Short mmCIF file of all heavy atoms in Angstrom, two decimals:
data_model
loop_
_atom_site.label_atom_id
_atom_site.label_comp_id
_atom_site.label_asym_id
_atom_site.label_seq_id
_atom_site.Cartn_x
_atom_site.Cartn_y
_atom_site.Cartn_z
N GLN A 46 -97.60 -55.15 4.76
CA GLN A 46 -97.06 -54.07 5.58
C GLN A 46 -96.02 -53.23 4.84
O GLN A 46 -96.13 -52.02 4.72
CB GLN A 46 -96.42 -54.66 6.85
CG GLN A 46 -97.39 -55.40 7.74
CD GLN A 46 -96.68 -56.04 8.93
OE1 GLN A 46 -95.47 -55.99 9.07
NE2 GLN A 46 -97.46 -56.67 9.80
N GLY A 47 -94.97 -53.93 4.35
CA GLY A 47 -93.75 -53.25 3.89
C GLY A 47 -93.95 -52.17 2.87
O GLY A 47 -93.55 -51.02 3.04
N GLU A 111 -85.70 -52.81 1.49
CA GLU A 111 -85.88 -54.14 2.10
C GLU A 111 -84.80 -55.05 1.54
O GLU A 111 -84.00 -54.63 0.69
CB GLU A 111 -87.29 -54.68 1.81
CG GLU A 111 -88.38 -53.92 2.57
CD GLU A 111 -89.78 -54.46 2.37
OE1 GLU A 111 -89.93 -55.64 2.03
OE2 GLU A 111 -90.73 -53.69 2.55
N HIS A 225 -90.97 -66.30 5.21
CA HIS A 225 -90.51 -64.97 5.65
C HIS A 225 -89.71 -65.15 6.93
O HIS A 225 -90.14 -65.87 7.83
CB HIS A 225 -91.73 -64.07 5.90
CG HIS A 225 -91.40 -62.62 5.99
ND1 HIS A 225 -90.70 -62.09 7.04
CD2 HIS A 225 -91.67 -61.58 5.16
CE1 HIS A 225 -90.56 -60.78 6.87
NE2 HIS A 225 -91.14 -60.45 5.72
N LEU A 240 -96.92 -60.70 10.92
CA LEU A 240 -95.66 -60.39 10.24
C LEU A 240 -94.96 -59.22 10.92
O LEU A 240 -95.59 -58.25 11.31
CB LEU A 240 -95.97 -60.01 8.79
CG LEU A 240 -94.78 -59.67 7.91
CD1 LEU A 240 -93.99 -60.92 7.58
CD2 LEU A 240 -95.25 -59.01 6.62
N ILE A 241 -93.65 -59.35 11.07
CA ILE A 241 -92.84 -58.20 11.47
C ILE A 241 -92.09 -57.79 10.21
O ILE A 241 -91.12 -58.44 9.81
CB ILE A 241 -91.86 -58.55 12.62
CG1 ILE A 241 -92.60 -59.18 13.82
CG2 ILE A 241 -91.08 -57.31 13.03
CD1 ILE A 241 -93.56 -58.27 14.56
N SER A 242 -92.56 -56.72 9.61
CA SER A 242 -92.15 -56.37 8.25
C SER A 242 -90.63 -56.28 8.06
O SER A 242 -89.90 -55.77 8.92
CB SER A 242 -92.78 -55.02 7.88
OG SER A 242 -92.29 -54.60 6.64
N GLU A 243 -90.22 -56.72 6.87
CA GLU A 243 -88.82 -56.62 6.48
C GLU A 243 -88.35 -55.16 6.46
O GLU A 243 -87.15 -54.88 6.56
CB GLU A 243 -88.68 -57.23 5.08
CG GLU A 243 -87.28 -57.48 4.65
CD GLU A 243 -87.20 -58.57 3.57
OE1 GLU A 243 -88.00 -59.53 3.61
OE2 GLU A 243 -86.34 -58.45 2.71
N SER A 244 -89.31 -54.24 6.34
CA SER A 244 -88.92 -52.82 6.30
C SER A 244 -88.31 -52.37 7.64
O SER A 244 -87.57 -51.39 7.68
CB SER A 244 -90.10 -51.94 5.90
OG SER A 244 -91.20 -52.21 6.70
N ARG A 267 -84.43 -62.95 1.13
CA ARG A 267 -85.28 -63.50 2.18
C ARG A 267 -84.99 -64.97 2.49
O ARG A 267 -85.02 -65.39 3.65
CB ARG A 267 -86.72 -63.35 1.70
CG ARG A 267 -87.71 -63.19 2.75
CD ARG A 267 -89.03 -62.78 2.16
NE ARG A 267 -89.24 -61.35 2.25
CZ ARG A 267 -90.31 -60.73 1.80
NH1 ARG A 267 -91.28 -61.41 1.23
NH2 ARG A 267 -90.43 -59.44 1.94
N HIS A 328 -94.88 -67.67 3.79
CA HIS A 328 -95.31 -66.30 3.51
C HIS A 328 -95.87 -66.12 2.11
O HIS A 328 -96.84 -65.38 1.92
CB HIS A 328 -94.12 -65.36 3.70
CG HIS A 328 -94.43 -63.92 3.46
ND1 HIS A 328 -95.36 -63.22 4.19
CD2 HIS A 328 -93.91 -63.03 2.56
CE1 HIS A 328 -95.40 -61.96 3.78
NE2 HIS A 328 -94.56 -61.82 2.78
N ARG A 363 -89.02 -64.65 -4.21
CA ARG A 363 -89.50 -63.31 -4.56
C ARG A 363 -88.71 -62.21 -3.87
O ARG A 363 -88.44 -62.30 -2.66
CB ARG A 363 -90.98 -63.19 -4.19
CG ARG A 363 -91.53 -61.80 -4.42
CD ARG A 363 -93.02 -61.75 -4.29
NE ARG A 363 -93.51 -62.04 -2.97
CZ ARG A 363 -93.47 -61.21 -1.93
NH1 ARG A 363 -92.89 -60.02 -2.04
NH2 ARG A 363 -93.98 -61.57 -0.76
N LEU A 364 -88.36 -61.19 -4.63
CA LEU A 364 -87.75 -60.00 -4.05
C LEU A 364 -88.80 -59.26 -3.23
O LEU A 364 -89.97 -59.13 -3.64
CB LEU A 364 -87.23 -59.09 -5.18
CG LEU A 364 -86.54 -57.80 -4.77
CD1 LEU A 364 -85.20 -58.07 -4.08
CD2 LEU A 364 -86.30 -56.91 -5.99
N ALA A 365 -88.38 -58.77 -2.07
CA ALA A 365 -89.30 -58.09 -1.15
C ALA A 365 -90.10 -57.00 -1.86
O ALA A 365 -89.58 -56.26 -2.68
CB ALA A 365 -88.50 -57.49 0.00
N SER A 366 -91.38 -56.96 -1.52
CA SER A 366 -92.32 -55.92 -1.99
C SER A 366 -92.59 -55.95 -3.49
O SER A 366 -93.13 -55.00 -4.05
CB SER A 366 -91.88 -54.53 -1.54
OG SER A 366 -92.17 -54.40 -0.16
N ASN A 367 -92.26 -57.06 -4.14
CA ASN A 367 -92.61 -57.22 -5.55
C ASN A 367 -93.98 -57.87 -5.74
O ASN A 367 -94.44 -57.99 -6.87
CB ASN A 367 -91.56 -58.08 -6.29
CG ASN A 367 -90.49 -57.22 -6.94
OD1 ASN A 367 -90.56 -55.99 -6.89
ND2 ASN A 367 -89.51 -57.85 -7.56
N SER A 368 -94.63 -58.32 -4.64
CA SER A 368 -95.89 -59.06 -4.85
C SER A 368 -97.03 -58.13 -5.21
O SER A 368 -97.79 -58.39 -6.15
CB SER A 368 -96.25 -59.89 -3.62
OG SER A 368 -96.32 -59.07 -2.48
C1 SIN B 501 -92.80 -57.35 4.57
O1 SIN B 501 -93.31 -56.27 4.89
O2 SIN B 501 -91.82 -57.81 5.10
C2 SIN B 501 -93.46 -58.17 3.52
C3 SIN B 501 -93.27 -57.56 2.21
C4 SIN B 501 -93.30 -58.63 1.18
O3 SIN B 501 -93.89 -59.69 1.36
O4 SIN B 501 -92.65 -58.43 0.16
#
Side-chain angles (χ1 to χ4, degrees):
Q46 298 176 357
E111 290 183 23
H225 195 291
L240 181 72
I241 306 294
S242 174
E243 192 156 326
S244 52
R267 209 168 262 180
H328 181 60
R363 175 170 65 76
L364 180 68
S366 285
N367 267 357
S368 56

